């Protein structure tokens, strides 16, 4: 073993080390199996991730780009292996006492977080009749529903095949990680004027609408929760000089002008910055475009399938009721227009994520507007502990080693602290709106320990990445048995 990190996405893989996505793509064309090794991944790496057998990053936590995207793809991934260092200049992976070159073989185990030298024998899991049988038992027993976090039609299909009961989180910004789409997204982010932003949004609208139609069709008869854009800027803007020049060329901008825009948008704490509903309040044209895409897609999918579609629209990073009031008013306005234009009645819900302590504490007030709550426990953990979800892997292993904390709270929900906020929000929200639907869509929604807590708190559903749906169903059934209540 040459290192150990976070078990970010289950499954194991062996392959040659490659340090860039281009090398991964080239290797795949030659039929070679590779592990993409990066300090951290960004949207540019999506092709490399598709081409690799597995992903290894030396930084980043359970909710980093690499972790979330790999889980969605069903690709093994180990993140935040702090004891390893990537030396890009010499193309080496440096472990204590070992130096590995590009082309050397490593293996990763995404279930344990282990990184090993050389090939390891693998066993392909097979789905026997036992799997179906256990899933059938779990389905019969569990009280909580299990939805999926999915944004692409491929994810949604995989999740449905695993028996997901709807989409609990469609991160719309992830719909633009692929291919050339990221260019339009970046154009929207860096736009200096409303007109320029609208022009970029007009490019995004048809892509978004088409994807929504497909998602509604795949999930027909099941609920689909679509979250408004929530792009932390550092995930979408290029960082290195080379990348900046490259992206400027794609956008047809002078590199110097592009650099100025990036500087103007620079944030010290992007995770606590201009993201979530804040973006929609500064630039309402964004929520207007998204609401239009959702409602027009609902109309189209309803016409195609002959069944009504009831989208659930979710507003991220809400801390104040007034934020939700403002965004909901824009959504309602667009709904009225699309209903008038199409002549079709569309039922929809507008809800919020509970991912800030303030939202949890003010849940009784927020529930006057929100028609459902979904706990965004990645951010709720980050903001409750005041620990950056992107940087915590640099000190959490030491915390665990020294017994300061028993478990990584980004992996297993912190029952006492974050859990108390979840409970407070559930009680206060339901006091205002009895029967308020409560779900969880942070990465904890696929973690058995956390799922057991969700049962105790009386949540209605958990939502997790497609490949974790079976384990979530099983954990939900076990939680029902442990806690003694049935559906
Ligand atoms: C969360 O914060 O838990 C969440 C689901 O949203 P994201 O991870 O996209 O911030
Ligand atoms: Mg969040």
């Amino acid at each position: 073993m040459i290192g150990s990190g976070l078990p970010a996405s289950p499954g194991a893989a062996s392959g040659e080390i490659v340090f860039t996505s281009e090398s991964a793509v080239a290797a795949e064309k030659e039929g070679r199996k590779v592990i993409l090794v990066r300090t951290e991944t960004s949207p540019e790496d999506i092709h490399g991730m598709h081409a690799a057998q597995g992903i290894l990053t030396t930084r980043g936590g359970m909710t980093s780009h690499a972790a979330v995207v790999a889980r969605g793809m069903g690709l093994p991934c180990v993140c935040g292996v702090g004891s390893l260092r990537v030396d890009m200049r010499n193309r080496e992976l440096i472990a204590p006492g070992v130096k590995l070159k590009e082309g050397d073989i490593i293996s990763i185990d995404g279930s344990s977080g282990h990184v090993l030298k050389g090939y390891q024998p693998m066993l392909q899991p097979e789905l026997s009749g036992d799997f179906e049988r256990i899933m059938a038992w779990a389905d019969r027993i569990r009280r909580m529903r299990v939805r999926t976090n999915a944004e692409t039609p491929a994810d949604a299909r995989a999740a449905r095949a695993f028996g997901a009961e709807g989409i609990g989180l469609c991160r719309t910004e992830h719909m633009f990680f692929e291919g050339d789409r990221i260019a339009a997204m970046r154009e929207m982010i860096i736009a200096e004027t409303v007109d320029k932003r609208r022009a970029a949004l007009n490019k995004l609208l048809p892509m978004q609408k088409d994807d929504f139609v497909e998602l509604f069709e795949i999930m027909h008869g099941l609920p689909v929760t679509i979250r408004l854009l929530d792009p932390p800027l550092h995930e979408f803007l290029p960082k290195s000089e080379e990348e900046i020049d490259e992206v400027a060329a794609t956008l047809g901008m002078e590199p110097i002008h592009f650099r100025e825009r990036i500087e103007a948008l620079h944030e010290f704490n992007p995770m606590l910055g201009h993201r979530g509903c804040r973006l929609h309040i500064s630039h309402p044209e964004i929520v207007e475009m998204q609401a239009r895409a959702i409602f027009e897609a609902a109309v189209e999918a309803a016409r195609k399938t002959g069944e009504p579609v009831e989208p659930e629209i979710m507003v991220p990073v809400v801390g104040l009721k007034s934020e939700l009031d403002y965004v909901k008013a824009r959504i309602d306005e667009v709904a009225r227009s699309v209903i008038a234009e199409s002549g079709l009645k569309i039922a929809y819900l507008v809800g919020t994520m509970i991912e800030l302590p303030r939202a949890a504490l003010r849940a009784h007030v927020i529930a006057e507007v929100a028609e459902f709550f979904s706990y965004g426990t990645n951010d709720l953990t980050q903001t409750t502990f005041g620990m950056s979800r992107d940087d915590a892997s640099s000190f959490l292993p030491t915390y665990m080693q020294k017994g300061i904390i028993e478990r990584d709270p980004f992996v297993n929900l912190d029952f006492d602290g974050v859990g108390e906020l979840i409970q407070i929000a559930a009680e206060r929200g339901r006091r205002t709106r009895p029967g308020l639907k409560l779900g969880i869509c942070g990465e904890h929604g696929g973690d058995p320990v956390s799922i057991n807590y969700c049962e105790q708190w009386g949540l209605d559903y958990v939502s997790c990445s497609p490949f974790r749906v079976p384990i979530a169903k099983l954990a939900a059934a076990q939680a029902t048995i442990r806690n003694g209540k049935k559906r």
Side-chain angles (χ1 to χ4, degrees):
M1 198 163 99
I2 54 164
S4 177
L6 295 167
S9 178
S14 290
E16 294 174 29
I17 295 174
V18 290
F19 293 109
T20 64
S21 286
E22 293 73 44
S23 311
V25 172
E28 191 195 28
K29 285 196 184 125
E30 292 166 14
R32 290 185 288 126
K33 291 188 162 50
V34 296
I35 305 288
L36 179 62
V37 179
R38 307 279 288 159
T39 306
E40 50 196 347
T41 61
S42 69
E44 262 74 36
D45 289 315
I46 203 90
H47 300 299
M49 294 176 80
H50 275 300
Q53 304 298 305
I55 313 293
L56 167 63
T57 67
T58 54
R59 290 193 51 176
M62 290 297 281
T63 62
S64 61
H65 175 267
V68 172
V69 174
R71 270 201 295 281
M73 288 180 182
L75 198 64
C77 176
V78 175
C79 277
V81 191
S83 60
L84 298 181
R85 194 165 62 80
V86 173
D87 175 352
M88 277 308 272
R89 189 172 309 157
N90 297 310
R91 300 241 161 180
E92 284 175 346
L93 177 65
I94 302 168
V98 201
K99 265 189 192 169
L100 297 168
K101 292 240 170 252
E102 193 154 45
D104 285 351
I105 308 292
I106 55 166
S107 300
I108 58 168
D109 180 348
S111 304
S112 65
H114 294 168
V115 183
L116 305 112
K117 211 173 137 187
Y119 274 115
Q120 300 299 322
M122 303 272 170
L123 203 61
Q124 187 64 31
E126 279 171 21
L127 292 189
S128 65
D130 295 343
F131 172 79
E132 299 278 334
R133 201 158 166 210
I134 289 186
M135 283 298 109
W137 290 345
D139 286 346
R140 220 172 42 235
I141 287 184
R142 75 195 148 86
R143 183 194 61 84
M144 284 188 294
R145 300 264 173 197
V146 176
R147 298 197 195 179
T148 191
N149 294 356
E151 30 276 339
T152 65
D155 290 347
R157 271 192 209 97
R160 184 124 207 204
F162 279 130
E165 298 166 299
I167 292 182
L169 173 65
C170 169
R171 290 178 164 105
T172 51
E173 66 281 0
H174 286 204
M175 294 173 138
F176 300 104
F177 277 165
E178 295 266 354
D180 306 328
R181 292 174 162 212
I182 186 126
M185 180 74 177
R186 283 178 166 146
E187 212 177 303
M188 191 277 288
I189 290 173
I190 58 154
E192 288 154 282
T193 63
V194 175
D195 285 348
K196 282 190 183 164
R197 190 167 303 102
R198 278 195 199 283
L201 286 165
N202 285 340
K203 290 185 196 166
L204 298 177
L205 176 71
M207 301 179 204
Q208 189 122 86
K209 182 182 154 186
D210 289 351
D211 281 359
F212 291 149
V213 173
E214 229 177 316
L215 288 186
F216 291 145
E217 282 182 277
I218 295 166
M219 287 287 157
H220 79 268
L222 298 174
V224 175
T225 306
I226 295 171
R227 182 180 74 184
L228 298 181
L229 280 177
D230 178 12
L233 287 182
H234 65 311
E235 285 183 15
F236 285 88
L237 293 177
K239 290 182 193 84
S240 73
E241 292 297 305
E242 272 170 312
E243 277 174 356
I244 291 175
D245 288 343
E246 226 171 85
V247 174
T250 327
L251 295 177
M253 276 176 91
E254 283 299 322
I256 187 161
H257 186 198
F258 186 46
R259 269 193 188 84
E260 277 167 14
R261 277 306 288 155
I262 293 179
E263 248 164 61
L265 291 168
H266 174 76
E267 293 181 322
F268 285 103
N269 276 318
M271 277 299 196
L272 301 178
H274 203 177
R275 62 179 286 217
C277 65
R278 300 162 192 168
L279 207 61
H280 301 273
I281 291 169
S282 306
H283 310 301
E285 56 277 12
I286 304 178
V287 47
E288 284 162 16
M289 176 285 279
Q290 289 207 280
R292 179 160 284 279
I294 294 168
F295 293 129
E296 288 187 356
V299 168
E300 201 171 313
R303 290 206 168 118
K304 276 188 176 170
T305 62
E307 278 178 53
V309 173
E310 190 179 317
E312 299 178 352
I313 303 176
M314 183 152 79
V315 186
V317 198
V318 164
L320 300 157
K321 172 181 170 283
S322 51
E323 291 174 321
L324 191 59
D325 281 332
Y326 182 92
V327 177
K328 183 170 185 299
R330 308 280 87 71
I331 295 170
D332 291 342
E333 209 175 286
V334 176
R336 281 193 291 276
S337 305
V338 177
I339 290 169
E341 288 158 22
S342 67
L344 207 75
K345 198 168 163 0
I346 313 166
Y348 63 98
L349 297 176
V350 177
T352 186
M353 298 193 67
I354 300 287
E355 48 186 352
L356 298 177
R358 192 182 195 284
L361 297 174
R362 303 296 293 163
H364 49 302
V365 181
I366 290 174
E368 288 169 14
V369 193
E371 293 167 302
F372 62 90
F373 283 175
S374 180
Y375 293 98
T377 45
N378 304 330
D379 276 309
L380 191 59
T381 301
Q382 166 168 260
T383 50
T384 302
F385 276 88
M387 274 181 194
S388 158
R389 54 196 261 197
D390 291 324
D391 300 316
S393 64
S394 64
F395 55 87
L396 272 181
T398 310
Y399 264 43
M400 287 188 278
Q401 206 184 357
K402 297 195 170 175
I404 306 284
I405 198 169
E406 210 176 304
R407 290 188 298 229
D408 180 343
F410 291 100
V411 178
N412 307 125
L413 263 175
D414 161 48
F415 182 80
D416 300 331
V418 177
E420 190 167 345
L421 284 170
I422 291 176
Q423 242 175 320
I424 288 173
E427 280 162 17
R428 294 185 184 176
R430 281 183 170 159
R431 207 189 305 147
T432 301
R433 202 182 274 269
L436 177 74
K437 195 158 47 169
L438 303 174
I440 176 176
C441 62
E443 300 310 309
H444 304 92
D447 164 54
V449 174
S450 311
I451 291 170
N452 189 50
Y453 298 155
C454 294
E455 175 66 38
Q456 294 175 29
W457 298 320
L459 303 200
D460 298 299
Y461 67 88
V462 299
S463 189
C464 59
S465 55
F467 292 88
R468 289 170 106 187
V469 166
I471 196 76
K473 285 181 160 198
L474 180 60
Q478 290 169 332
T480 304
I481 293 169
R482 252 185 232 119
N483 295 282
K485 277 188 210 148
K486 274 198 142 194
R487 200 184 257 180

